Amino acid sequence: MTTHAGAAGLSHVQCLPTDEPLANAWRQAADGIRARLAPWPSSATSPDWRLHASTPEAATQGDVVWLPLVPEHGLGTMASVKVEAWRASGAVVLCTGATAQGHVQDTLYTSDGVYRVTGVDDPSFFPAFAAFLDCGFEPHDALVLARAWRTDGSHARKGDEGDADTLGAWPTRLETFPTVLGQVPSPGRFPECPARLGLYPVLPDADWCERMAELQVGTVQLRIKDPAHPRLRSEIERTVAAGRRVTRDSAWFINDHWREAAQAGAYGVHLGQEDMAALSADEVAALHASGMRLGISTHGYYEMLAAHHFRPSYLAVGAVFPTTTKVIATAPQGLAKLARYVKLIAPHYPLVAIGGIDATNLSQVLATGVGSAAVVRAVTEASDVAGAVKGMQQAFARRA
């Protein structure tokens, strides 16, 4: 077991009532798990949580209520009404029911969504949930991390748990993580792309993409968000043609417009989490049948698992740093989270870091082991575009 001398216990989570034996047992176990996760960057902005060992009469923002014995047929009418009332008041409600062969199904209700997963039960699940909440993770990400946790330590790849300076006992084996429910069927794995996509400019028009072809940039994305853009098809066709002029490791993607990209014979497409979730089973099957590579945006562990369901060609994760180029509901991920994402995802998919990355912080990003970094302003606002691209490519070469 990896522990860290002097590591503090929970600082953002209370287990209530304090005189309840179950709450004290949760607290002691969560303190131990939290210590095994250290070192972890503390944040004064992390929310505070109150986990209830006894069902409260009322619950509001900051309260977490766990109903661990939900019948197979679901909550009754009165219980459902109470859950919705708690949720409307800002509380988080977790309902868990047993399925078969030691598996459980969790439904997490928050003010901004409902999240459903199924996974293996473990006696340390709820203390682990408390520990990951204490680390500042959103409840749905804390849920999947806690379901991945194993009392016997099998959630960490061999050798990882001993790396006290970087990972502690962090979950890094994708096999132990739960499955996200409620998605359309996956038609199978999408075609592979290079394992390390390198520098990945995300650009607003074909003119910019053609400049990247002149510089022989291997990975590029055309990102036009307006579906009513008057020259959308032309912009995509020009970008696809430009990508074919790159003579080595060309992996060029079109953002969002997968039908137009398929018609133009694009190498690949990139879809956001919401865009992927909006596709019907037939549309996902048609996208797969096109033969294009698929990249999917993610903003944390739960969304990574949702994307993993479709076996894409790569995953993108962000925003690593604050960014002005896109409105993102989630807080910046930071380097500590990115390093853990790399350990979990890189053995299975190429991983692309995105958000606020430029020449000044690229070396820090690459130090996490990630094989690709998407950039926007670092190219489009550079006074010397060719020089900026060359300098960032050299940073990747030094890590090769």
Side-chain angles (χ1 to χ4, degrees), residues 320-321 334-336 338-339 342 353 356-370 372-373 395-396 398-399:
V320 178
F321 303 113
L335 295 170
L338 178 60
V342 170
I357 301 172
D358 57 28
T360 66
N361 56 34
L362 180 59
S363 62
Q364 295 174 284
V365 171
L366 298 185
T368 67
V370 73
S372 180
F396 278 94
R398 288 191 291 270
R399 289 280 173 181

Side-chain angles (χ1 to χ4, degrees), residues 67 69-77 79-80 95-98 105 107 109:
L67 305 179
L69 299 172
V70 174
E72 187 174 349
H73 55 76
L75 293 170
T77 301
S80 296
C95 299
T96 300
Q105 181 171 319
T107 303
Y109 299 89

Side-chain angles (χ1 to χ4, degrees), residues 6 23 36 41 56 59 66 69 73 99 102 118 132 225 246 264 268 278 280 321 341 343 378:
R36 295 175 66 189
W66 184 30
L69 299 172
H73 55 76
T99 56
T118 184
F132 289 114
K225 297 303 293 181
V246 176
S280 67
F321 303 113
Y341 297 153
K343 286 288 186 178

Side-chain angles (χ1 to χ4, degrees), residues 217-254:
V217 177
T219 310
V220 169
Q221 181 185 132
L222 172 68
R223 184 175 184 269
I224 298 176
K225 297 303 293 181
D226 182 7
H229 190 288
R231 298 182 304 279
L232 179 62
R233 290 182 182 275
S234 173
E235 292 282 304
I236 292 173
E237 290 168 357
R238 286 173 56 194
T239 297
V240 170
R244 291 173 179 158
R245 296 198 291 272
V246 176
T247 58
R248 186 169 180 269
D249 296 331
S250 178
W252 282 37
F253 295 85
I254 306 299

Side-chain angles (χ1 to χ4, degrees), residues 25-399:
W26 284 350
R27 174 76 193 211
Q28 291 176 11
D31 279 345
I33 293 171
R34 181 69 176 82
R36 295 175 66 189
L37 298 176
W40 181 254
S42 61
S43 173
T45 62
S46 293
D48 293 325
W49 299 100
R50 299 175 297 276
L51 277 55
H52 295 270
S54 302
T55 305
E57 286 299 317
T60 186
Q61 187 167 355
D63 288 309
V64 178
V65 182
W66 184 30
L67 305 179
L69 299 172
V70 174
E72 187 174 349
H73 55 76
L75 293 170
T77 301
M78 291 185 64
S80 296
V81 169
K82 182 170 284 190
V83 166
E84 284 304 315
W86 287 334
R87 183 184 175 201
S89 297
V92 170
V93 185
L94 174 60
C95 299
T96 300
T99 56
Q101 299 175 336
H103 285 66
V104 291
Q105 181 171 319
D106 298 300
T107 303
L108 182 75
Y109 299 89
T110 73
S111 59
D112 62 355
V114 179
Y115 306 86
R116 292 184 172 90
V117 300
T118 184
V120 175
D121 199 14
D122 187 275
S124 294
F125 161 67
F126 204 65
F129 181 56
F132 289 114
L133 284 175
D134 193 67
C135 288
F137 283 92
E138 293 291 330
H140 55 283
D141 285 333
L143 168 64
V144 298
L145 281 163
R147 277 291 169 219
W149 184 270
R150 298 289 184 270
T151 301
D152 64 7
S154 61
H155 56 272
R157 290 198 306 276
K158 187 176 181 181
D160 287 347
E161 189 170 351
D163 193 352
D165 292 335
T166 57
L167 290 179
W170 206 269
T172 53
R173 292 184 63 229
L174 192 57
E175 311 90 89
T176 70
F177 277 75
T179 299
V180 172
L181 299 174
Q183 303 194 93
V184 302
S186 169
R189 179 133 196 174
F190 280 79
E192 293 184 357
C193 62
R196 301 182 72 83
L197 287 163
L199 182 67
Y200 190 164
V202 178
L203 302 168
D205 56 46
D207 287 344
W208 271 108
C209 293
E210 288 168 347
R211 293 179 71 177
M212 295 302 103
E214 293 171 5
L215 297 172
Q216 292 292 294
V217 177
T219 310
V220 169
Q221 181 185 132
L222 172 68
R223 184 175 184 269
I224 298 176
K225 297 303 293 181
D226 182 7
H229 190 288
R231 298 182 304 279
L232 179 62
R233 290 182 182 275
S234 173
E235 292 282 304
I236 292 173
E237 290 168 357
R238 286 173 56 194
T239 297
V240 170
R244 291 173 179 158
R245 296 198 291 272
V246 176
T247 58
R248 186 169 180 269
D249 296 331
S250 178
W252 282 37
F253 295 85
I254 306 299
N255 186 281
D256 282 358
H257 310 290
W258 64 273
R259 293 182 183 83
E260 294 83 354
Q263 291 169 0
Y267 172 89
V269 292
H270 181 95
L271 294 179
Q273 191 79 195
E274 299 83 2
D275 301 308
M276 196 71 205
L279 297 182
S280 67
D282 288 344
E283 289 172 323
V284 174
L287 175 56
H288 185 267
S290 73
M292 293 186 296
R293 282 75 176 171
L294 172 66
I296 302 178
S297 295
T298 67
H299 305 92
Y301 282 101
Y302 182 93
E303 291 189 359
M304 285 180 179
L305 297 178
H308 170 55
H309 168 77
F310 294 104
R311 305 299 193 270
S313 308
Y314 75 82
L315 297 182
V317 63
V320 178
F321 303 113
T323 177
T324 60
T325 58
K326 185 178 180 181
V327 177
I328 298 175
T330 54
Q333 301 286 318
L335 295 170
K337 285 184 180 179
L338 178 60
R340 285 153 176 80
Y341 297 153
V342 170
K343 286 288 186 178
L344 177 68
I345 296 299
H348 306 276
Y349 301 99
L351 190 64
V352 178
I354 188 168
I357 301 172
D358 57 28
T360 66
N361 56 34
L362 180 59
S363 62
Q364 295 174 284
V365 171
L366 298 185
T368 67
V370 73
S372 180
V375 297
V376 182
R377 291 178 294 110
V379 170
T380 60
E381 296 182 8
S383 57
D384 176 5
V385 172
V389 167
K390 182 178 180 180
M392 288 186 286
Q393 286 178 325
Q394 288 174 341
F396 278 94
R398 288 191 291 270
R399 289 280 173 181

